[in-house]
Amino acid sequence: MSLRQGTASKIAFPLKNIIQRFAFLSLIVLSIALLVLGKADLVLMERVRTISVDALSPVLGTLSQPVNAINKGIERVRELASLIEENERLRRENERLQKWQAASLALDKENENFRRLLNALSDPLVLPITARVIGDSGGPFVRTLLLNAGSRDGIRVGQAVVGPHGLVGRIAETGRQSSRVLLLTDLNSRVPVLLQNSRHKGILVGDNSISPKLEYLQTNAQVSAGDRVVTSGDGGMLPSGWPIGTVSSVTEGQVRVQAFADWARLEFVSVLRYDLPGLTDQGTNPGDLGESRLGESRFGN
Amino acid sequence: MNPSFSYQVNRLLRGSLPFWLTFLLAVMTVIPVRIENMATVTPSVVSISVFYWSLQRPYLMPAPAVFLIGLTTDIMTGGPMGMSSLILLLVHWIASSQRQVFVGKAFIQSWWGFLLVATGMAALSWVIMCLYAFAFVPALPFLVQLALTVLLFPAFAWVFGLLQNSILRHI
């Protein structure tokens, strides 16, 4: 028996070696082919990706919970140390914000009156869907987030994603129960924006660095560090006027923006279901405003 | 005499441990840890695992398994498809072809080997990413990720070593 096995393995061993080497080389070629094909944005590849992420998202959701709990515990301990100062700071901030609130309520009323006088069309209602962040980019290649909500919750590709401080990114892929957010800082992110004071328009271009670039500004645009940048709403994909960040540096021809978003603490984000009546139809974009009773009362359909 | 069925099942389950472990690590790569800028420099523990098992038990970490794990990583992180597969296959190839240099030698030697391999792979993935994006992407995250991964190597190698000497002892 052992002899027979010996002769068999003498023949089988080099054969196995050749097969293994062939398998290895073809897998390398396959990887490179995938990389090249990926540039072409194949529908099939995206389908494979969304289906796999969908299948694994419950696992991620469960696994990320204990990590969350630990992080919260650590943060709680850290906060205990600065409880008194924090309280004092918040009290002062609250006083200041109360004054601002009064001012903003008055302005809001005034604005509404002016709109009525001019018979100006108001923007459609924006409905937020709040989802938990169950994954981040996990490496240096991309800047993305995974959310535990997908197309069954009304999330569609292109919708804006906002955190507590402002715009975070846009939906790039949706599965049934999960979706991927392309962050403002990603290489592929392009967001139409507006300088809040000078009203000049531009495009916010991500480049995988922490602060995205502001490009396609008019040559005579006045821009200085500290200017607030908000969404312009151009293209009808994003609601206008959502805060994004402030201009952090202006150097020869390059304007960089520091986002308001606190990237490390994004636990929950809101996806804005924004639907311009007439531009997006209910058939291809089901579950937007029609699904909600708020939308019904506003548009009467 | 054929080994009994339950013995074979047992062997199969134990033998697939390196694959499933690495697969789980690939899925876990994207779990948010909420440390400032950590997401972009998440240490590549998957490459540690592929390196370790390709060195210690190459027949339990064959090339197709490495390819699948790489694909899973790309799917989870949303990076270019095929990127991690390519890098991990190269790690696997280097590790399994240089076994005589590392196996049975001092631990520091494998650590040094991993440092060299990981550095090469970080440089390669940066170059591929630049070509892919047709722009210079920031290289700093790649370097920080490299440093963190190399620093984590001993801890993971220790845990893998424990598994290797208990569950995978006779496999």
Side-chain angles (χ1 to χ4, degrees):
Chain A
M1 174 118 178
S2 68
L3 193 76
R4 246 185 32 221
Q5 254 183 1
T7 41
S9 71
K10 245 183 225 162
I11 304 163
F13 187 70
L15 191 68
K16 205 177 157 194
N17 216 346
I18 290 166
I19 292 172
Q20 269 178 357
R21 191 149 299 176
F22 177 74
F24 173 76
L25 280 177
S26 43
L27 286 171
I28 289 269
V29 172
L30 188 59
S31 305
I32 296 171
L34 277 176
L35 263 174
V36 175
L37 285 175
K39 278 301 264 185
D41 278 335
L42 286 188
V43 181
L44 177 75
M45 216 127 104
E46 204 186 306
R47 192 69 55 81
V48 169
R49 206 195 271 269
T50 51
I51 289 172
S52 321
V53 173
D54 240 18
L56 288 168
S57 70
V59 182
L60 264 188
T62 319
L63 285 176
S64 66
Q65 245 149 13
V67 180
N68 268 342
I70 294 168
N71 278 322
K72 262 192 195 145
I74 294 172
E75 204 156 293
R76 193 59 54 84
V77 172
R78 205 181 292 161
E79 279 167 1
L80 272 178
S82 57
L83 211 58
I84 295 173
E85 294 106 87
E86 183 69 5
N87 199 11
E88 193 57 38
R89 192 185 67 78
L90 286 175
R91 205 193 302 273
R92 275 199 303 272
E93 189 174 89
N94 196 26
E95 276 168 21
R96 214 183 53 213
L97 289 178
Q98 295 248 315
K99 280 177 209 149
W100 269 109
Q101 193 196 21
S104 111
L105 280 176
L107 284 173
D108 199 37
K109 266 272 155 328
E110 194 179 85
N111 217 338
E112 201 180 307
N113 282 334
F114 285 145
R115 275 179 191 280
R116 204 172 297 151
L117 279 174
L118 290 168
N119 200 14
L121 283 173
S122 52
D123 271 350
L125 194 68
V126 173
L127 291 172
I129 310 163
T130 301
R132 200 156 73 84
V133 176
I134 54 167
D136 61 23
S137 16
F141 301 122
V142 286
R143 306 289 181 266
T144 60
L145 294 178
L146 282 175
L147 305 182
N148 71 340
S151 56
R152 62 152 190 215
D153 308 293
I155 292 183
R156 298 289 176 273
V157 170
Q159 286 168 338
V161 182
V162 295
H165 305 291
L167 192 77
V168 173
R170 294 168 67 173
I171 299 288
E173 283 170 9
T174 52
R176 252 188 68 70
Q177 49 175 342
S178 67
S179 50
R180 189 180 297 279
V181 182
L182 192 70
L183 297 180
L184 295 174
T185 46
D186 190 273
L187 211 62
N188 291 311
S189 167
R190 304 284 182 275
V191 178
V193 296
L194 185 70
L195 289 167
Q196 202 173 38
N197 292 329
S198 65
R199 314 305 287 180
H200 281 296
K201 285 177 176 177
I203 303 277
L204 193 66
V205 177
D207 61 353
N208 273 12
S209 71
I210 300 166
S211 38
K213 290 180 287 189
L214 188 52
E215 288 188 355
Y216 306 106
L217 272 175
Q218 272 176 27
T219 39
N220 61 349
Q222 299 153 358
V223 51
S224 48
D227 283 356
R228 276 171 67 96
V229 178
V230 300
T231 55
S232 72
D234 282 3
M237 292 297 282
L238 309 180
S240 66
W242 281 78
I244 292 180
T246 52
V247 173
S248 62
S249 71
V250 185
T251 45
E252 72 273 5
Q254 211 173 56
V255 183
R256 296 223 168 239
V257 174
Q258 178 69 50
F260 290 132
D262 185 356
W263 304 114
R265 291 186 195 189
L266 289 174
E267 200 176 332
F268 287 94
V269 292
S270 293
V271 182
L272 303 180
R273 297 202 298 185
Y274 177 70
D275 200 16
L276 277 180
L279 280 183
T280 44
D281 76 302
Q282 300 260 321
T284 57
N285 206 358
D288 268 316
L289 291 177
E291 206 177 71
S292 135
R293 291 177 58 204
L294 276 164
E296 245 174 77
S297 65
R298 177 104 173 200
F299 294 105
N301 53 0
Chain B
M1 195 193 84
N2 278 329
S4 73
F5 178 69
S6 65
Y7 174 79
Q8 280 186 332
V9 169
N10 188 317
R11 216 178 134 81
L12 193 74
L13 286 179
R14 286 172 184 231
S16 65
L17 182 76
F19 171 76
W20 287 116
L21 190 66
T22 319
F23 181 83
L24 190 69
L25 289 176
V27 175
M28 283 173 67
T29 316
V30 296
I31 289 180
V33 282
R34 302 189 207 295
I35 301 173
E36 206 73 48
N37 295 327
M38 191 60 181
T40 56
V41 296
T42 310
S44 172
V45 289
V46 175
S47 69
I48 297 179
S49 191
V50 168
F51 182 83
Y52 185 89
W53 296 113
S54 303
L55 213 57
Q56 302 293 340
R57 291 282 194 276
Y59 48 91
L60 297 182
M61 184 59 76
V66 175
F67 177 77
L68 267 182
I69 288 163
L71 217 56
T72 311
T73 313
D74 289 334
I75 283 170
M76 293 317 288
T77 60
M81 287 275 247
M83 175 73 112
S84 303
S85 310
L86 181 64
I87 298 294
L88 291 178
L89 277 170
L90 290 175
V91 169
H92 164 76
W93 175 61
I94 296 172
S96 55
S97 63
Q98 300 300 316
R99 290 191 66 210
Q100 68 276 24
V101 184
F102 298 113
V103 175
K105 303 284 168 56
F107 168 74
I108 192 90
Q109 202 162 333
S110 351
W111 196 6
W112 175 246
F114 182 73
L115 170 70
L116 293 181
V117 172
T119 309
M121 292 308 124
L124 182 65
S125 51
W126 180 74
V127 169
I128 298 177
M129 195 59 206
C130 287
L131 287 175
Y132 192 82
F134 216 71
F136 280 108
V137 295
L140 190 65
F142 288 84
L143 289 174
V144 178
Q145 185 194 37
L146 169 67
L148 289 177
T149 312
V150 171
L151 284 176
L152 273 180
F153 183 79
F156 277 84
W158 182 69
V159 175
F160 295 153
L162 288 181
L163 289 173
Q164 189 188 344
N165 290 325
S166 53
I167 300 173
L168 298 172
R169 173 156 245 176
H170 302 295
I171 297 177

